[in-house]
Structures are given as C-alpha cells and as structure tokens.
Amino acid sequence: MHKAVVLQQVEGKPGQLIDVPTPSPQPNEVLVRITAAALNHRDLFIRQHLYPSPAFDVPLLADGVGTVISTGSAELDSIWKGKRVILTPGRGWDRSAEGPDSETGQYAILGGTKHCPLGTLQEFIAVDANELLEAPFHLSDEEAASLPLTGLTAYRALFTKSGNCKPGYNVLITGIGGGVALMDLQFASAAGCNVFVTSSSKEKLERAKQMGASGGVLYTEESWEKKLVEQLPSQRRWLDAVIDGAGGDIVERTSRILKHGGVIVSYGMTLGPKVLYSMGAVMKNIELRGSTMGSRQEFADMVKLVQTKHLRPVISKVVQGIEDIAQTDELFDEMKSGRQFGKLVVRISKTDEASQSKL
C-alpha cells in the first residue's frame, strides 16, 4: 500500500489522504516512485467543482517526476530501470497537429477525474512506457515536476498554433506569473521574439523583464493596450500574436494593435467560459485559435527544446511531504489568490530514496 491524495466529497477544501494498493507493472508498464508533483489551474477548478467529471478515488494532479524502480518486462528493465523520468500529462493524442487522434477521439488528462484513473499526487504510479521521457538532466526534481502540462500547453500554443514565433516578431503573453505564461516567455525569447507581457503586479512585470521580456503593462489600467503600443519597436508597431489564458475582452483589447491576419491563441479562460469576438477583428482577418495541451510528439519536441536551451521552469513555492494536507491547501490558496510567480510544487520523496526504494 502507498499514500495518495484524492478529492473529498465535502464543501470547503476537498482533499484527503488515503491508502491505495501499490500496482504491479504490466508487461508494457513501468513503476515510478514519484519524487515531486506540481499544481495547475485545472486542479484548482476540479476542487471547486468547476471541471467536468470529478472522481473521488483518483489521485489529484497531472504533473510529476520520479524514478523508475521496476518494470513489467526484461526489455523495459534494461531501458528504464533507475532512470529519472517525467510523465506525459494526457492520454489519447499521439502526433496529429490538429487534435487528439485516438480511435475514440477522446483525450484525457491525468488527475482527479473519471476520464483517466491516474494522478501524480501519490507515492507510486504505474504507467505505459510510451507515456514517459527521461527528465532533462539540468533540472531539479521540483523543476522537472513543473514542466509537463505547462511546458506542453505553452509549446503548442506558441509554436504549433500561433504560427508567429519568429525572430523579430512581437508576441504578447498575458497574465505573466502563471506557469504556462512563464514557459512561453522563455520559449519565445529563446526563438528571438520580442516578448511583451501583462500583469496586475508591477513586481511581476519587473521579474518578467529580468527573464527577457522587452516590456509589459498592467492590465488593471485603463486602455493598457495603448500603453503597450508605445513600447513596441519603432520599426514594428504592431503585435504579431497574442498568447492568452484569461479570455474576457482580449479580442477587443488587442485586435486594434494586432497586424492584419494576426493570431490570438487561447489556452484558457480564467475570467469566464466565453470570449467575445468583434466585427473589428473580422475586418482585420484576425484569427482566434483554441489550444489545449498537446500531442506526445509535441511533448517530446518541447522536452528537447528545454534540454537544448537549458531552460528552467520557474518555481514559486515548494512544500515538503504528501501527508500534510494543510500544506497542500496553502498551495491551492496561493493559486486561487494569484500571488504565485511560477509553479507550486509538492515534494513527495527524495531522488535517492526513490532510486533505493524496495517494495
């Protein structure tokens, strides 16, 4: 038996620690001892019952890193045993650039729902060997745990969907401080883009500039888009693309400063479930493109980019241990308030403990 954190069917802050059977890997599987797991906004929405099909027997969280301690076959043993790995955060999407390409067309994300029985906020997890990659060597466990969902979402939104991640192009990333936004800042900067950001915090704007942003504005200020134009390069006074996770009036705000044929990529709507699309955007041929997670191929491409460029997810806070639910609650509270600048992580075990683990 081992420990896992699942939803609790009560009002307030659902979350309870339970004992679950430690699985034996099937011939195509490996058993991973999780060393760290990270939160995403999706996990907060699940706890608030704002996400479909919550499950009360499935461990929470989709992001995780750990060490392979056993496998279901001699072949897999020779490949994976003892290696530090990160897990693909979704199931049912191999390589199509358009969307999930499983036979059923269904795509399931790990953690806390009926659609997938797996989650990373537990001590051990058995996964198909095709659903993991070796963790980039330069990343700590906390950084590696923070990479899968945010890195994949950021990579697809910027490279696959925007079509405008090119040297010298102007890219706006909204809501800097969240995990996806921070990864896109690093990805776009590494590609040679001029990156601009929005936030409600002057401190977050300054930290983004230290990370390579060319400028930024407070979205709490009236007509912030006009102030943004003043910061754009004199030879390119327009945006080429917007990467947005908030929704709301983003089309109205940015369509006036996007180039003709510019692209707004929406990977989330924290302000509400709808985005208004204006006639002004139609007249400028501006495209609004939805983007959710990504394929295993995009996941592999993203990890390769992180490895090659030695990029590091930003960590906001780490708590130690899986058994103190109050600590995990603090992470959810921080996310709900929007105070974080980077990822929120639960450290479950140490790497040396995982590599030496015996069941």
Side-chain angles (χ1 to χ4, degrees):
M1 302 293 283
H2 69 266
K3 303 294 184 184
V5 177
V6 299
L7 288 174
Q8 187 176 8
Q9 200 165 0
V10 297
E11 294 183 0
K13 298 177 179 178
Q16 61 178 333
L17 187 71
I18 63 171
D19 290 312
V20 297
T22 301
S24 296
Q26 298 299 305
N28 61 320
E29 292 181 333
V30 303
L31 183 65
V32 178
R33 177 164 184 171
I34 300 293
T35 50
L39 278 66
N40 293 284
H41 271 94
R42 171 183 178 273
D43 305 304
L44 176 63
F45 296 152
I46 289 173
R47 291 188 70 182
Q48 294 175 322
H49 210 267
L50 298 175
Y51 200 90
S53 303
F56 299 97
D57 58 352
V58 176
L60 292 167
L61 308 192
D63 280 343
V65 64
T67 300
V68 176
I69 61 171
S70 68
T71 73
S73 70
E75 181 182 1
L76 291 179
D77 216 51
S78 65
I79 299 172
W80 289 110
K81 190 171 182 179
K83 289 188 176 179
R84 193 176 67 131
V85 296
I86 55 176
L87 315 178
T88 55
R91 299 291 184 270
W93 193 349
D94 185 24
R95 60 178 57 248
S96 172
E98 296 179 348
D101 50 13
S102 67
E103 292 183 1
T104 63
Q106 297 298 310
Y107 182 67
I109 304 171
L110 275 63
T113 75
K114 299 174 183 177
H115 301 299
C116 181
L118 304 175
T120 58
L121 194 52
Q122 60 177 323
E123 294 174 309
F124 298 93
I125 186 171
V127 297
D128 190 294
N130 291 319
E131 301 293 356
L132 49 80
L133 290 173
E134 196 163 359
F137 299 121
H138 68 287
L139 299 183
S140 68
D141 281 347
E142 291 82 0
E143 291 168 335
S146 300
L147 182 62
L149 192 148
T150 52
L152 177 59
T153 301
Y155 185 92
R156 176 172 172 79
L158 182 66
F159 290 102
T160 306
K161 299 294 287 190
S162 85
N164 281 275
C165 186
K166 301 177 183 179
Y169 275 36
N170 297 330
V171 176
L172 173 65
I173 300 170
T174 65
I176 203 66
V180 175
L182 287 168
M183 286 308 305
D184 264 334
L185 168 57
Q186 294 187 70
F187 289 158
S189 296
C193 298
N194 304 313
V195 185
F196 300 86
V197 299
T198 70
S199 176
S200 61
S201 163
K202 290 182 179 180
E203 179 184 358
K204 290 183 179 181
L205 292 181
E206 289 305 312
R207 292 185 66 179
K209 291 175 185 177
Q210 293 170 10
M211 291 178 60
S214 299
V217 293
L218 295 170
Y219 64 72
T220 51
E221 294 185 353
E222 188 176 355
S223 301
W224 58 259
E225 65 274 17
K226 295 179 180 179
K227 297 179 181 179
L228 179 61
V229 171
E230 297 172 0
Q231 300 181 26
L232 299 177
S234 58
Q235 71 277 18
R236 199 175 185 86
R237 289 286 190 185
W238 60 82
L239 293 175
D240 296 281
V242 177
I243 311 297
D244 177 65
D249 62 353
I250 189 64
V251 175
E252 180 183 358
R253 291 280 191 175
T254 60
S255 60
R256 300 167 188 167
I257 58 176
L258 273 161
K259 67 181 180 183
H260 287 269
V263 175
I264 301 170
V265 180
S266 172
Y267 64 85
M269 296 184 186
T270 57
L271 295 179
K274 295 181 180 180
V275 171
L276 296 176
Y277 186 78
S278 65
M279 190 62 197
V282 174
M283 297 301 292
K284 288 188 70 176
N285 290 283
I286 289 171
E287 296 185 42
L288 176 62
R289 299 176 181 173
S291 185
T292 299
M293 302 285 285
S295 66
R296 283 194 301 190
Q297 182 61 56
E298 288 167 319
F299 186 69
D301 293 341
M302 179 273 294
V303 173
K304 182 178 180 180
L305 175 61
V306 169
Q307 182 83 59
T308 302
K309 297 292 185 179
H310 282 76
L311 304 178
R312 294 180 178 273
V314 179
I315 307 299
S316 183
K317 186 176 182 179
V318 179
V319 299
Q320 301 291 331
I322 193 174
E323 297 192 18
D324 191 341
I325 297 296
Q327 284 192 122
T328 305
D329 280 337
E330 290 176 6
L331 297 184
F332 278 99
D333 288 342
E334 187 152 341
M335 178 175 284
K336 186 176 181 179
S337 70
R339 297 192 303 269
Q340 82 277 12
F341 188 87
K343 294 288 287 186
L344 301 165
V345 181
V346 180
R347 180 81 193 204
I348 297 174
S349 66
K350 296 180 180 179
T351 302
D352 55 354
E353 292 177 352
S355 60
Q356 297 171 11
S357 177
K358 294 181 180 180
L359 296 177

